[in-house]
């Protein structure tokens, strides 16, 4: 028995590259990113939108890409961890901060943490430690106990302020 | 050839001890990761697993016809459709009376827990496979269920495995009389009861069932078309998976290659040989195309192994000055419905550690492993030892309360003093070194203990609704699994050695092959530091190869805090053999006598001269082999298989300050200080990370996490919405320090650190909560100390209707 799949047309600009695909309407953005667009840096950690490992920037806002259908992102700009560093390999300041402060161990939560941190610091350029902890509460980490991550985000915030001030 | 090359390495500080930033980071930070679920192979199909929605049932029929006909489905198999499936193994026969229930990759005819496997579907997409599951029609004839391990032991309980005739999986014991390490605990306790100058404290303590909850769900891909069948798995133990698969499923060891690519956390939860691994291989072999299975988080919660889940009957006898005279431990340990590779033995590891850091004149331990209709338990960070540490550390506080002694003081009166090392414990182990006074004094100082006690007193006197509690844990952890002879004595199914081989490349770079399997611990960084010091090769010129049985051909993988203590020693052993192979070549190249050579950090020099040569130059010369001495093989590469002579024993003092809001039951973390002795520190940054991660998990067991089943075996904490893995806002900044007493049982002097946090934090937290609430009449609260439990305990104490919830005093 043949089944007609009603596919939807989705056009996304991901890490600077615009691509168009037909997708099943039920396809989550995270699966579209991983399986069709090759953005395997973005990962799935749960099935109830609790863990935040799938966090990307959607039109500049941090969102859990498991909670968005690919069709909802049609026409949007998506930034994933794969697009953070410069083309020549120079790490983005947030990546550099996580490196300096041991903000990762197994690395599974890291893409989500990085993207969330970019948004957090942009919205709150001078966060307190408590504000950082609150701000990343949607991103679970099982390895670090969060201490290295909080240190990294605080350091990243300071670096960003210094760079802003330097302009 | 003579050279006078300088050795920059000898002038720079050693690598070991430095907080080197990690080699692993760059790939992980830039998304160039290789998780198993990333793999897409030509023609690959996806596996979905049909799992039982009920806890105990006879399957009276399964109809897969509709599923087989569904779009995209290439196959559907029940257990009967896979006659080649082999029984899943256990790797530790703990006792003569141990009963191992049959466990097939797909259960046939009966299910024993929610999540038990009933059928599998392979389809061209994961969606198609998942959709087809819903088309499989299973008739479950439900049977009686038992979920409480104490009830399961009792006469008349529903049987999990009726054919076995009992719910007791195994019994095991040890005691100081049989071990020759002390007196008869039962006699000593009887004597204490009759003695007005002694007290006997009895408590029933409860270890909550929890789950490792690694962030990366398990994933498996099998490619049956390659020369060796290749199985990629998000596992901690590729070597163990390989051998167990070969011993139980229709594949030979040499036909199978197992690869752990990037693995997103394990914590013991990925120390397993799983039914799903067997199933992906079986289906792939049948179809002769690649097959992938990635679990959902819900599947992980209902099928990957859980942990802890014990009822502990503790009896501690002591003189009125607080010195212990006897300790008796009687455990009921919940296995779940089936036995995983180490399930039955996890509580036994704890049996060695209930005595803690204390001198116990008479000790007895008895454990009853019990089946229930739940997921199997097995290893999770600490594996039996957090349970033991909780037991003894809670009892030390109970003893302090009984005798109205300060909890630190009562510990001091019992712990082993520095001059008494090496110390033969009541449990038959020998602790090599330690200094509990030093760590405790430092911790008390950092914690501002006296100030906090004063504040606690003020709050009590003023009747402050928010009370302050101080929790203590002084502990030792059994690490560095393990001396193979000890494992043999315990009838454990493998040895405890580790292997490394070092390959000296002609361009002066080094490949370190190790049999350990990192999944976040920073081995590439730490091993490079060690090798750099041994061979004088720059840190950046050293790479680690691990996790693949094709390239790390020999290993026992990573768990039990063994990678540095055992694996690191294998690396050192291999490095030193490289140096010894290089020695006659160096002598030849320097035109000197072998006996006149000195070696230091990569440079051979002729004693009393400036003449010398770097190991990296020798590597090139060896590879060229144009001018080697007679009888010397043109090869510096060496390997070492290291078997430790003893476990390692990291120790520490943990102090927790908690604020308990008596109006809401909410426990807030005010401060957490820990001073630990992990021996020589290779990389202090990595050590800190391991401590922080362990503390978070230990605090979570005490305050947030619990796997809950209803009376009829329904798992109610099947998602991360219900199972409370803490977020950053649920924790605080830990304050840590280290003291160092070098391990005496390995040349690096290292002790291990990975499992210390999960071991020490739960009793520190719970002791703190009870310390805050005892004046209100609260005597015990079982973990996790949720607001509801804490509030209820306070209400009950106030109303005098019983000062505890499930823990009881007898």
């Amino acid at each position: 028995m043949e089944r007609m799949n009603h596919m939807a047309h989705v056009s996304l600009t991901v890490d600077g590259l615009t691509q168009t695909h037909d997708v099943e309407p039920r396809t989550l953005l995270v699966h579209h990113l991983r399986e069709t667009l090759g953005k395997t840096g973005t990962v799935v950690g749960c099935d109830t939108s609790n863990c935040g490992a799938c966090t990307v920037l959607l039109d500049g806002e941090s969102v859990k890409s498991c909670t968005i259908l690919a069709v909802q992102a049609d026409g949007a700009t998506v930034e994933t961890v794969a697009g953070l560093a410069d083309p020549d390999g120079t790490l983005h300041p947030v990546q550099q901060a996580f490196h300096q402060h041991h903000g990762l161990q197994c690395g599974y939560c890291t893409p989500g943490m990085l993207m969330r941190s970019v948004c957090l610091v942009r919205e709150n350029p001078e966060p307190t430690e408590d504000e950082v902890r609150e701000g990343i509460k949607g991103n679970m980490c099982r390895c670090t106990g969060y201490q290295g991550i909080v240190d990294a985000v605080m350091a990243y915030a300071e670096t960003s302020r210094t760079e802003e001030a330097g302009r | 050839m003579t050279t006078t090359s300088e050795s920059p390495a000898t002038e720079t500080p050693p690598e070991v001890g430095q907080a080197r930033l990690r080699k692993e980071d760059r790939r992980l930070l830039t998304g160039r990761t290789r998780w198993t679920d990333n793999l897409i192979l030509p023609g690959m199909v996806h596996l979905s697993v049909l799992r039982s929605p009920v806890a105990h049932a006879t399957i009276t029929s399964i109809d897969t016809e509709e599923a087989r006909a569904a779009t995209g489905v290439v196959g559907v198999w029940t257990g009967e459709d896979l006659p080649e499936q082999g029984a899943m193994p256990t790797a530790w026969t703990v006792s003569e009376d141990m009963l191992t229930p049959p466990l097939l990759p797909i259960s046939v005819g009966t299910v024993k827990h929610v999540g038990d496997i009933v059928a599998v579907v392979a389809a061209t997409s994961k969606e198609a496979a998942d959709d087809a599951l819903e088309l499989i029609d299973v008739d479950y004839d439900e049977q009686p269920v038992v979920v409480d391990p104490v009830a399961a032991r009792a006469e008349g309980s529903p049987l999990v495995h009726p054919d076995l005739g009992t719910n007791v999986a195994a019994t095991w014991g040890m005691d100081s009389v049989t071990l020759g390490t002390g007196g008869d605990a039962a006699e000593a306790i009887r004597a204490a009861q009759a003695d007005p100058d002694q007290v006997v404290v009895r408590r029933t303590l409860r270890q909550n069932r929890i789950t490792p909850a690694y962030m990366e769900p398990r994933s498996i891909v099998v490619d049956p078309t390659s020369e060796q069948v290749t199985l990629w798995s998000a596992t901690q133990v590729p070597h163990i998976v390989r051998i167990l698969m070969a011993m139980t499923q229709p594949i030979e060891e040499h036909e199978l290659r197992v690869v752990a690519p990037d693995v997103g956390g394990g914590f013991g939860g990925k120390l397993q040989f799983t039914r799903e691994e067997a199933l992906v291989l079986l289906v792939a072999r049948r179809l002769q195309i690649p097959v992938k299975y990635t679990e959902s988080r819900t599947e992980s919660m209902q099928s990957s192994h859980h942990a802890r889940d014990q009822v502990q009957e503790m009896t501690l006898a002591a003189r009125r000055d607080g010195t212990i005279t006897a300790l008796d431990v009687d455990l009921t340990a919940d296995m779940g419905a089936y036995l995983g590779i180490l399930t039955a033995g996890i509580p036994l590891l704890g049996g060695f550690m209930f005595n803690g850091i204390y001198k116990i004149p008479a000790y007895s331990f008895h454990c009853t492993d019990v089946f229930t209709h739940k997921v199997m338990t097995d290893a999770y960070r600490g594996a039996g030892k957090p349970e033991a540490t909780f037991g003894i550390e809670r009892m030390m506080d109970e003893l302090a309360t009984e005798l109205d002694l300060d909890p630190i003081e009562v510990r001091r009166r019992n712990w082993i003093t520095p001059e008494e090392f090496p110390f033969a414990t009541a449990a038959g182990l020998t602790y090599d070194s330690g200094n509990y006074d030093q760590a405790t004094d430092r911790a008390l100082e950092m914690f501002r203990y006296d100030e906090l006690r004063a504040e606690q007193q003020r709050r009590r006197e003023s009747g402050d609704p928010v009370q302050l509690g101080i929790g203590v844990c002084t502990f030792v952890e059994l690490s560095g699994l393990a001396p193979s002879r000890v494992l043999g004595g315990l009838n454990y199914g493998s040895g405890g050695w580790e292997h490394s081989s070092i390959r000296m490349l002609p361009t002066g770079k080094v490949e370190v092959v190790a049999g350990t399997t990192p999944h976040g611990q920073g081995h590439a960084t730490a091993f490079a530091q060690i090798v750099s010091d041994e061979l004088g090769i720059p840190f950046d010129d050293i790479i680690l190869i691990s996790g693949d049985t094709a390239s790390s051909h020999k290993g026992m993988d990573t768990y039990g805090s063994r990678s540095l203590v055992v694996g690191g020693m294998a690396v050192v052993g291999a490095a030193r053999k490289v140096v010894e192979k290089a020695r006659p070549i160096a002598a030849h190249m320097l035109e000197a006598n072998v006996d006149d050579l000195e070696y230091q950090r990569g440079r051979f020099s002729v004693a009393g001269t400036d003449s010398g040569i770097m190991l990296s130059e020798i590597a090139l010369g060896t590879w060229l082999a144009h001018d080697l001495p007679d009888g010397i093989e043109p090869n510096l590469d060496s390997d070492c298989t290291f078997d430790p002579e003893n476990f390692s024993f990291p120790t520490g003092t943990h102090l927790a300050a908690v604020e308990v809001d008596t109006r809401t039951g909410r426990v807030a973390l005010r401060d957490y200080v820990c001073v630990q002795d992990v021996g020589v520190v290779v990389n202090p940054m990595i050590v800190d990370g391991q401590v922080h991660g362990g503390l978070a998990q230990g605090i979570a067991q005490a305050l947030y996490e619990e796997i809950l089943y209803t009376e009829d075996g329904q798992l109610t904490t099947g998602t991360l919405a219900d199972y409370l893995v803490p977020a950053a806002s649920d924790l605080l900044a830990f304050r840590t320090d280290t003291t160092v007493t070098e391990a005496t049982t390995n040349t690096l002097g290292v002790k291990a650190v990975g499992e210390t946090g999960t071991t020490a934090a739960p009793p520190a937290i719970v002791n703190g909560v009870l310390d805050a609430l005892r004046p209100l009449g609260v005597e015990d609260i079982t973990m996790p100390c949720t607001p509801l439990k804490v509030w209820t305990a306070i209400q009950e104490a106030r109303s005098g209707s019983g000062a505890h919830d499930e823990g009881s005093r007898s």
Side-chain angles (χ1 to χ4, degrees), chain B residues 317-617:
Chain B
R319 297 183 200 90
R320 292 199 171 272
D321 69 355
T323 52
I324 296 166
T325 53
L327 171 66
D328 177 76
V329 177
D330 192 9
L331 289 193
T332 303
D334 191 330
M335 305 285 98
Y338 300 114
L339 299 179
I341 59 175
L342 302 177
T343 304
I346 299 297
L348 276 51
L349 292 173
F352 288 99
M353 302 307 285
F354 273 91
N355 50 288
I357 59 172
Y358 311 111
K359 294 174 280 196
I360 312 264
Y363 173 57
S364 56
F365 170 84
H366 188 263
C367 178
T368 306
D369 288 346
V370 181
F371 293 119
T372 60
H373 288 106
K374 299 188 283 196
V375 172
M376 65 173 67
T377 51
D378 210 315
Y380 171 47
R381 208 164 187 173
K385 298 151 288 150
E387 296 91 311
T389 302
F390 184 83
I392 185 62
E393 288 302 293
R394 283 283 301 106
M395 291 307 282
M396 294 307 278
D397 259 37
E398 295 296 305
L399 180 64
T401 302
E402 190 76 23
L403 296 174
D404 199 23
L405 287 172
D406 174 85
I408 309 262
E409 184 55 31
V410 77
R411 286 167 168 84
R412 235 187 253 278
R413 291 181 187 179
N414 284 287
W415 70 44
I416 303 157
T417 59
E419 321 78 60
E420 291 174 308
F421 290 102
F423 185 84
T425 74
L429 297 177
T430 302
Y431 296 165
D432 57 344
S433 64
N435 190 331
Y436 312 125
D437 285 278
Q438 190 185 17
T440 303
D441 291 343
R442 176 73 187 122
L444 289 169
E445 183 191 4
M446 287 171 68
F447 194 63
R448 294 188 292 270
Y449 184 80
D450 294 332
E451 281 175 42
L452 286 172
R453 282 290 182 209
E455 182 185 336
Q456 179 182 56
Q457 192 53 32
R458 282 196 304 276
R459 290 191 189 216
R460 282 178 179 167
E461 280 161 8
S462 71
D464 195 322
V466 178
Q467 287 292 305
L468 182 64
I470 293 170
V472 182
C473 173
T474 52
F475 80 106
V476 59
E477 167 65 345
L478 178 74
S479 294
L481 253 60
S484 298
R485 285 182 184 160
V486 173
L487 296 181
L490 294 173
N491 215 23
Y492 187 96
S494 78
W497 46 263
E498 194 43 81
H499 177 264
S500 173
S501 69
I502 293 191
R503 313 204 288 225
M504 303 296 293
L505 303 182
T507 57
K509 315 297 187 229
V510 177
E511 290 176 331
V512 179
V513 178
T516 44
T517 305
H519 39 284
Q521 297 93 331
H523 295 179
T525 303
F527 286 172
Q529 289 177 254
I530 290 170
V531 171
S532 180
D533 282 353
E534 292 289 324
L535 300 182
I537 304 285
F539 174 78
D540 290 333
D541 291 350
I542 302 166
I543 192 165
L544 175 66
I545 294 172
S546 65
D548 182 340
T549 61
S551 44
S552 295
H553 54 286
K554 207 172 172 63
M556 289 305 301
D557 299 314
T558 289
Y559 43 81
S561 302
R562 68 189 304 272
S563 298
L564 178 61
V565 176
V566 188
M569 284 306 297
V571 169
V572 167
R576 291 183 181 177
K577 286 186 186 178
V578 166
V579 171
E580 288 321 298
K581 281 192 178 178
R583 195 176 290 272
I585 301 172
H588 186 74
M589 288 167 97
L590 291 171
E591 292 169 355
N593 199 298
V594 146
D595 298 323
D596 294 333
L597 286 188
E598 290 171 344
Y599 174 80
Q600 199 200 356
R601 280 181 76 196
R603 185 165 188 266
F604 282 99
S605 56
V606 182
T609 76
D610 286 336
S611 177
I613 188 168
M614 296 299 292
L615 197 56
S616 45
E617 295 168 89

Side-chain angles (χ1 to χ4, degrees), chain B residues 58-108:
Chain B
T58 308
I59 296 175
T60 52
S61 73
I62 310 181
D63 185 353
T64 59
E65 203 180 305
E66 216 185 326
R68 283 178 212 276
T71 308
V73 172
V74 301
V76 180
W77 297 267
T78 65
E80 278 157 357
D81 296 325
L82 277 179
E84 70 269 27
Q85 62 171 352
M88 298 299 292
T90 60
W92 194 353
T93 303
V94 302
S95 63
E96 276 177 28
D97 67 359
M98 180 163 136
L99 296 172
T100 304
L103 174 60
L104 292 168
I106 305 183
S107 291
V108 177

Side-chain angles (χ1 to χ4, degrees), chain A residues 26 34 40-41 44-47 50 81 89 91 95 99 102 105-106 108 114 133-134 137 142-144 146-147, chain B residues 22 25-26 29 35 37-38 127 131 211-212 215 297-298 520 685 689-690 692-693 705 721 726 728 733-734:
Chain A
R26 62 170 164 176
R34 285 180 57 71
T40 51
V44 174
C46 75
D47 47 13
N50 288 100
V81 66
L91 293 180
Q95 292 167 317
H99 181 51
H102 196 31
Q105 291 181 28
C106 82
Y108 201 75
L114 291 171
R133 286 180 180 272
E134 278 297 310
K137 72 195 293 184
R142 201 50 164 162
C143 292
T144 66
Y146 301 103
Q147 194 125 323
Chain B
R22 297 192 334 161
D25 286 356
R26 177 162 279 271
L29 285 166
W35 314 112
D37 185 63
N38 293 1
E127 289 80 13
D131 287 347
T211 188
M215 292 316 300
R297 177 61 60 178
T298 300
M685 183 188 78
Q690 288 297 306
H692 297 159
E705 294 180 32
F734 311 112

